[in-house]
Amino acid sequence: MSNSTIETDRDFQKLADPYRRELLAHCYRMLGSMHDAEDLVQETYLRAWRSYENFEGRSSLRTWLYRIATNVCLTAIDQRGNRPMPSGLGAPSDEPERPVVASPEVPWLEPVPDAVIGADAADPATIVAARESTRLAFVAALQHLPAKQRVVLILRDVLKWRAAEVAELLDTSTAAVNSALQRARAQLEENQPLRDELVEPTDAAQRDLLERYAKAFEDADITGLIELFKKDVIWEMPPHLDWFVGAENVVQLIRVQCAPSPGDIRMVPSAANGQPAFGLYMRGDDGVHRAYQLQVISVTDEGVAHVSAFFDTSLFPLFGLAEEL
């Protein structure tokens, strides 16, 4: 390898590495999978490295990397399809006593750790914007959009690109971009809850509610959860197709399907998608608490509004959570 090639490699790494985290967030919004996003960022950097000597600087390096990443994501969506949540596939169940059905063949939406795609802590405005644009409900709503509309909405509304820049990336007209953005916004409003309902993670009342929530599980005080849930709380749990609405239904589901005794469950706090989360551990017959489900929680002033309980325990290492306690 020549000295000039080595210098080019070093130059590329030095200039491109600062964008890795935001590209990971971009690919996650596009694909709804942390695992896929990591693979696609690697593919983006590999393609960029191979082409770096021909990079002519007609756009910024950041714009160039986003262009590569977006095209990689579009190809992946064509090949892999969308990642839904159970609530996006059908009506809620009203039979919490009936055994739930798992569908592991469905490529379900995955949560993402805040620590992986968190915004610059020195910029509060950036933190809030990043949190809004990675909420589970927002990413789930994006999955309902056609791929091109998804790109347009993310680039225009999340990343604040100009319409002309998006048009150039997609090889289309500015008018087509504006039309796609209008359609995407309209559909997103139908699938995303009101943003101002959600309580920020730093809210003291929320912290108190979450502590009570975790204690209720650990003490097997399932009835006590009713006080913490909104009346119309939503509970879903990929890879199970069944999902439930209403505090009474959810409590009955936990009571019948889980049937915990005090001490069976331990809750370890975490953070995902700009929301509070818990790693839930279940005690086995040998007395060891093992990874069971990862809960991502939406909290409003009225209580816990939505719980997404992911049974994919391969997510635990991504969140820095142990497989057993």
Side-chain angles (χ1 to χ4, degrees):
M1 183 180 291
S2 68
N3 288 335
S4 61
T5 302
I6 293 174
E7 287 299 321
T8 299
D9 289 349
R10 289 174 178 169
D11 187 37
F12 172 76
Q13 292 294 339
K14 180 180 178 181
L15 294 174
D17 273 354
Y19 302 112
R20 187 176 291 271
R21 176 175 285 195
E22 61 179 281
L23 288 170
L24 184 63
H26 177 58
C27 292
Y28 171 73
R29 294 184 191 101
M30 289 285 291
L31 274 295
S33 164
M34 182 61 190
H35 294 99
D36 287 352
E38 288 180 325
D39 291 343
L40 295 179
V41 169
Q42 286 298 105
E43 176 67 18
T44 296
Y45 273 77
L46 180 60
R47 292 190 183 190
W49 172 73
R50 288 172 175 168
S51 306
Y52 183 61
E53 286 189 340
N54 298 320
F55 174 56
E56 298 175 353
R58 286 178 294 182
S59 63
S60 69
L61 180 66
R62 179 175 182 266
T63 299
W64 184 60
L65 289 170
Y66 266 100
R67 182 173 290 112
I68 297 171
T70 299
N71 285 320
V72 168
C73 288
L74 287 171
T75 299
I77 292 171
D78 286 341
Q79 295 172 346
R80 308 175 195 182
N82 299 327
R83 286 182 171 268
M85 287 291 283
S87 56
L89 295 180
S93 171
D94 57 2
E95 300 180 71
E97 296 88 358
R98 187 184 65 187
V100 293
V101 178
S103 296
E105 72 281 359
V106 176
W108 296 104
L109 185 72
E110 296 174 355
V112 64
D114 277 8
V116 172
I117 59 172
D120 183 0
D123 185 356
T126 302
I127 293 173
V128 172
R131 195 152 52 222
E132 289 290 348
S133 65
T134 54
R135 298 259 191 214
L136 262 184
F138 179 77
V139 179
L142 289 175
Q143 298 295 302
H144 292 276
L145 298 176
K148 292 291 178 67
Q149 287 186 25
R150 196 180 312 175
V151 172
V152 169
L153 188 132
I154 291 172
L155 293 180
R156 292 283 285 118
D157 283 0
V158 176
L159 299 175
K160 308 302 182 185
W161 282 33
R162 299 191 306 272
E165 293 176 303
V166 180
E168 182 182 357
L169 185 150
L170 296 176
D171 193 23
T172 187
S173 67
T174 301
V177 166
N178 290 333
S179 176
L181 179 61
Q182 186 176 12
R183 295 196 303 273
R185 284 172 174 169
Q187 186 164 343
L188 204 67
E189 285 299 318
E190 297 177 7
N191 289 289
Q192 192 182 190
L194 293 176
R195 296 174 185 171
D196 57 2
E197 287 185 353
L198 295 174
V199 180
E200 287 303 314
T202 54
D203 185 87
Q206 175 184 283
R207 292 198 301 270
D208 176 66
L209 185 147
L210 291 172
E211 289 173 4
R212 292 162 57 204
Y213 177 87
K215 189 174 188 303
F217 272 98
E218 294 180 341
D219 292 348
D221 181 16
I222 306 307
T223 303
L225 287 171
I226 291 180
E227 300 176 10
L228 307 177
F229 285 138
K230 279 188 67 179
K231 186 176 181 180
D232 59 350
V233 62
I234 295 173
W235 182 284
E236 50 190 333
M237 43 191 181
H240 300 94
L241 282 171
D242 301 275
W243 60 289
F244 300 85
V245 176
E248 296 287 349
N249 276 335
V250 172
V251 166
Q252 183 66 3
L253 170 77
I254 298 170
R255 180 183 291 117
V256 173
Q257 307 278 2
C258 188
S261 298
D264 280 351
I265 290 174
R266 289 184 62 183
M267 303 282 275
V268 177
S270 186
N273 296 77
Q275 301 167 231
F278 286 99
L280 186 152
Y281 293 80
M282 186 70 74
R283 181 166 58 188
D285 293 337
D286 58 359
V288 177
H289 288 82
R290 293 183 175 85
Y292 186 69
Q293 65 181 216
L294 182 75
Q295 295 186 4
V296 183
I297 301 171
S298 298
V299 178
T300 71
D301 289 331
E302 298 176 47
V304 174
H306 197 142
V307 178
S308 301
F310 296 88
F311 279 81
D312 181 2
T313 55
S314 72
L315 294 168
F316 274 58
L318 294 176
F319 284 81
L321 295 169
E323 295 182 4
E324 58 183 54
L325 301 179

